[in-house]
Amino acid sequence: MDIQSYISSGKLELFLLGELTEREREEVLSLAMMHPEIQRELDELEETMFSFDNMTGVAPSQEVKDKIFSTLENDFILKEVPKPTTAPTDTKVVPIASPWKPFAIAASIAAIVASGAAFYYAGKYQERNDQFTALLQDQSVMADNLNQVKQDFEEADSRLDKFVAGDFKRIEMKGEGFDMQKDARVDVLWDQNAQEVFIAVNNLNELSDDLDYQLWAIGDDGPVGIGLVNSGEKLTLQQMEAVAQAGAFAITIEPKGGSKSPTLEKLVVLGEVA
């Protein structure tokens, strides 16, 4: 008989799990008594099953183990069986009822439940972690927006104080008479004593990325560039460079970044100081 082939057949595992017929269980017990190799394999499989049960559940106390083994010895262990060739006809074989089947089923169910619970709570943790991270990002964005609003308010409040305390003149600049942008409307607010200039864009057409609007103060020494105008900032006041003397203000279209002298053929609006 090929002992190793028999051990590898899986019958020993099925024996411990209680999955063999009565005749097959008798065969395993008989061969285990005749062949020490088979008995050792049964002992090792039994120890492995105990180890697996300890890993997948709460380890039983020594008292519980003693009761289990006592029960096995008293109720389930087969009395000595002689070799089949010499066994008397009246020899009674008591089949062993394997205690491992319920243990294995319970261990398998526990493992499945534990795995499912682990995946479920891992998913819930990741979901909550993502929500918390998104909340922190939203709060950071809100804080940045709040700081920007506060800064804008403080700047507007400062400008209002200047208008209340200052002596600003409003110079209305129009595009009438100029083919470039007839519908352009811009106001310049100038406090000559404080030499402060603000510009309010009511309507200016958008330019390509390689061009800019530039504001000029025209005085006795000719036009002087006092800043670039953002056509997209409507209903706001854009502060320009200081101006001490001017008879008129004008806006032209210049290359990106502005020019040292105005391009007169690209004059957009002009407003004379009253």
Side-chain angles (χ1 to χ4, degrees), residues 70-236:
S70 176
T71 301
L72 291 175
E73 290 176 359
N74 294 333
D75 298 333
F76 299 114
I77 294 182
L78 180 66
K79 295 180 180 180
E80 182 176 357
V81 179
K83 295 181 180 181
T85 54
T86 60
T89 57
D90 59 346
T91 300
K92 184 178 182 180
V93 178
V94 179
I96 183 170
S98 172
W100 288 110
K101 185 173 182 179
F103 283 138
I105 294 174
S108 299
I109 294 175
I112 293 173
V113 172
S115 299
F119 280 114
Y120 174 80
Y121 286 109
K124 286 294 183 183
Y125 172 79
Q126 185 62 44
E127 180 182 348
R128 293 292 184 270
N129 187 59
D130 292 343
Q131 291 175 349
F132 181 69
T133 301
L135 179 60
L136 290 179
Q137 292 175 347
D138 291 342
Q139 289 180 337
S140 177
V141 172
M142 291 176 61
D144 292 340
N145 292 339
L146 181 61
N147 289 334
Q148 183 62 46
V149 170
K150 181 181 179 182
Q151 181 179 347
D152 294 342
F153 174 79
E154 290 174 350
E155 291 178 358
D157 189 56
S158 176
R159 291 172 185 173
L160 180 60
D161 290 341
K162 290 180 180 180
F163 281 117
V164 173
D167 182 18
F168 283 89
K169 294 180 181 180
R170 175 174 175 267
I171 298 97
E172 184 179 7
M173 298 198 297
K174 299 180 179 180
E176 296 178 359
F178 302 101
D179 293 334
M180 186 65 63
Q181 295 192 52
K182 292 183 177 181
D183 57 347
R185 295 291 186 275
V186 180
D187 289 333
V188 170
L189 301 172
W190 177 37
D191 184 343
Q192 187 172 5
N193 294 327
Q195 300 184 13
E196 292 184 327
V197 178
F198 291 89
I199 188 168
V201 175
N202 300 316
N203 186 44
L204 276 178
N205 295 331
E206 294 294 329
L207 298 176
S208 59
D209 293 338
D210 58 339
L211 298 175
D212 273 324
Y213 287 111
Q214 187 170 2
L215 179 63
W216 305 87
I218 304 172
D220 295 338
D221 297 329
V224 177
I226 59 172
L228 301 179
V229 179
N230 187 342
S231 61
E233 290 190 17
K234 295 180 172 61
L235 303 178
T236 61

